[in-house]
Amino acid sequence: MTGTPLSRSEAKDLTRRRLIRAAFAILDEEGEAGLTTVKVAKAAGIAQSSFYVHFKDRQDLLRALGDQAGERLRATMREARRRAREAPDDSERHRDTFRIPLEAICGHPELFRIGLRARHDPSSPLQGFAVETSAAYRAHLAADLAAMGFPTGTERDRRRLEMVADGITALTNAMAVGHIEGRYPDLEEVVDVLVAFSKGYLRLLPPARRAAGAE
Amino acid sequence: MTGTPLSRSEAKDLTRRRLIRAAFAILDEEGEAGLTTVKVAKAAGIAQSSFYVHFKDRQDLLRALGDQAGERLRATMREARRRAREAPDDSERHRDTFRIPLEAICGHPELFRIGLRARHDPSSPLQGFAVETSAAYRAHLAADLAAMGFPTGTERDRRRLEMVADGITALTNAMAVGHIEGRYPDLEEVVDVLVAFSKGYLRLLPPARRAAGAE
DNA sequence: AATTTCACCGATAGTACTATCGGTGAAAAA
DNA sequence: TTTTTCACCGATAGTACTATCGGTGAAATT
């Protein structure tokens, strides 16, 4: 079947990737409680004991999953920002600021679900990762809003900006969940609603700057 | 110490309540993975085996927790609606539609967290409960919006209404989490932001009705 | 007063998982 | 070719939890 006889290190690496892939699938389907060395090893086609050739222990696997998920997520966010900068005209660019993250989420729904779940689970070794990721995304979005002209003079201004960023994230996530669950099949309708909500917080912009972001 | 010598059934009921109280505490602090018969029984001050005097098995406890959480939640929602109807003037009533659910959530943060967590956890026996609860709340909110005058003629209208309701819930939850975590200490600031977002979706109201909800 | 009920106890069988250990054969190095 | 390395294997010790069982004493019933 395979034309290439794999070298030992290549074979090991392949097995490790199979383990990680299997782990993500189990995590998504059964949750963290279902993620055992027995199941992961079996799904990857090796003996349970061989799991420990690739990972020090169960925690070590979780750490690897967190690292990889974080890496994918950061790459997706970079890509989203890049694409948003390249959007043709202003109104389409505004829609893109919602459409692009939505598409990114829907591209890796399992990763998204895992993060969403770990976010509020104190027993999850991935909670730290999820909390940091959402905090980073929030700060990131707050900076974008500040660049749009939202006031940041007082402590209260900055807090409000963080709340708005937090709100946008929550809205985006909720709509993505609805789309993934099949309740909102049309992404453009979802973007319409997000744009509608955005008209609300854009009113917090000083009047002079408002034209740049809204309408 | 205690003046009353308890009857047998009273004592049993007290023990059952202690078990449920302990279970909620453990669920909140350690997540579902930490909820074992050993820990619950110990925390309630009885032997592990005596757990089965009160519950058929572990599932049965989870079911009882779900029932009780659902009951508390429905009571809170009824109370919130009652208070919202009694609000003095229109602008304050509009703020109340956000403030009251927020206060309800902050009144039982552990219940809220547990629900939030179970919502996306396929391994949780509470997932069904969480999904149904959020769907019920969404439908409920959508009905309120329809009563405000949002169009519901087409399928698309109704879908949009559901998205808006979903969005409002997500915003409220996100703000409540921020408040509970200490990031947004002032609830009035939180309400300000929710009102700002609401100005956005209120634009979807037909112009004639808009004055009733906004400003 | 005699009897029954039952909430609780300690002990334990059964289950599922984690992690370690010595052995094996093929790839890699000598 | 000989030796070494190492990814993988089966077996198994150790751990944590679930659920059952017979026994006990005090409350409830007769």
Side-chain angles (χ1 to χ4, degrees), chain A residues 70-120:
Chain A
E71 188 43 55
R72 277 201 219 167
L73 215 81
R74 277 186 293 275
T76 309
M77 273 161 57
R78 269 195 303 275
E79 172 68 6
R81 287 176 71 78
R82 193 189 59 73
R83 280 183 51 200
R85 275 195 300 274
E86 288 174 358
D89 68 301
D90 265 358
S91 103
E92 200 52 30
R93 179 177 294 199
H94 189 216
R95 289 182 70 81
D96 269 3
T97 59
F98 301 111
R99 192 189 290 117
I100 292 170
L102 277 172
E103 285 171 354
I105 290 170
C106 297
H108 290 292
E110 73 295 341
L111 228 62
F112 174 64
R113 261 194 300 257
I114 291 167
L116 218 54
R117 205 177 300 153
R119 176 68 177 80
H120 300 284

Side-chain angles (χ1 to χ4, degrees), chain A residues 58-166:
Chain A
R58 198 178 166 279
Q59 287 288 323
D60 193 32
L61 168 65
L62 267 301
R63 205 179 43 70
L65 295 182
D67 288 351
Q68 181 153 337
E71 188 43 55
R72 277 201 219 167
L73 215 81
R74 277 186 293 275
T76 309
M77 273 161 57
R78 269 195 303 275
E79 172 68 6
R81 287 176 71 78
R82 193 189 59 73
R83 280 183 51 200
R85 275 195 300 274
E86 288 174 358
D89 68 301
D90 265 358
S91 103
E92 200 52 30
R93 179 177 294 199
H94 189 216
R95 289 182 70 81
D96 269 3
T97 59
F98 301 111
R99 192 189 290 117
I100 292 170
L102 277 172
E103 285 171 354
I105 290 170
C106 297
H108 290 292
E110 73 295 341
L111 228 62
F112 174 64
R113 261 194 300 257
I114 291 167
L116 218 54
R117 205 177 300 153
R119 176 68 177 80
H120 300 284
D121 187 354
S123 73
S124 168
L126 292 176
Q127 189 187 30
F129 153 72
V131 170
E132 283 162 28
T133 302
S134 77
Y137 190 67
R138 195 165 56 234
H140 183 91
L141 209 53
D144 280 359
L145 291 169
M148 281 176 64
F150 277 82
T152 57
T154 68
E155 190 59 40
R156 187 178 175 136
D157 283 340
R158 285 188 289 275
R159 208 158 46 227
R160 189 167 65 174
L161 210 57
E162 200 181 312
M163 286 187 226
V164 171
D166 205 357

Side-chain angles (χ1 to χ4, degrees), chain A residues 7-8 37 48-49 52 57-58:
Chain A
S7 81
R8 197 139 67 174
T37 57
Q48 181 267 339
S49 59
Y52 294 90
D57 51 26
R58 198 178 166 279

Side-chain angles (χ1 to χ4, degrees), chain B residues 43-197:
Chain B
I46 61 169
Q48 181 266 339
S49 60
S50 300
F51 171 89
Y52 294 89
V53 171
H54 302 271
F55 301 99
K56 192 186 152 289
D57 52 23
R58 197 177 168 279
Q59 288 287 324
D60 193 33
L61 169 65
L62 268 301
R63 206 179 42 70
L65 295 182
D67 288 351
Q68 179 152 337
E71 189 43 55
R72 276 201 217 168
L73 215 81
R74 279 187 292 276
T76 308
M77 273 161 57
R78 270 196 301 275
E79 171 69 6
R81 286 176 71 78
R82 194 188 60 73
R83 281 183 52 199
R85 277 195 299 275
E86 288 175 358
D89 69 298
D90 263 0
S91 102
E92 199 54 29
R93 179 176 296 196
H94 189 216
R95 290 182 69 82
D96 268 3
T97 57
F98 300 112
R99 192 189 290 118
I100 291 170
L102 278 173
E103 285 171 355
I105 290 169
C106 297
H108 289 291
E110 74 293 342
L111 227 62
F112 173 65
R113 260 193 300 256
I114 291 166
L116 217 55
R117 208 179 299 155
R119 175 69 178 79
H120 299 285
D121 187 354
S123 73
S124 168
L126 292 176
Q127 190 187 27
F129 153 73
V131 170
E132 283 163 28
T133 302
S134 76
Y137 190 67
R138 193 166 56 233
H140 183 94
L141 209 53
D144 280 0
L145 291 169
M148 281 174 65
F150 277 81
T152 58
T154 68
E155 190 60 40
R156 187 179 174 134
D157 283 339
R158 285 187 292 275
R159 209 160 45 228
R160 189 168 65 173
L161 210 56
E162 200 181 313
M163 287 189 225
V164 171
D166 205 358
I168 294 169
T169 310
L171 280 171
T172 308
N173 288 353
M175 294 300 111
V177 169
H179 179 69
I180 291 169
E181 290 180 351
R183 282 178 285 120
Y184 316 136
D186 187 344
L187 263 191
E188 291 311 307
E189 284 182 23
V190 169
V191 173
D192 288 344
V193 170
L194 291 176
V195 167
F197 272 100

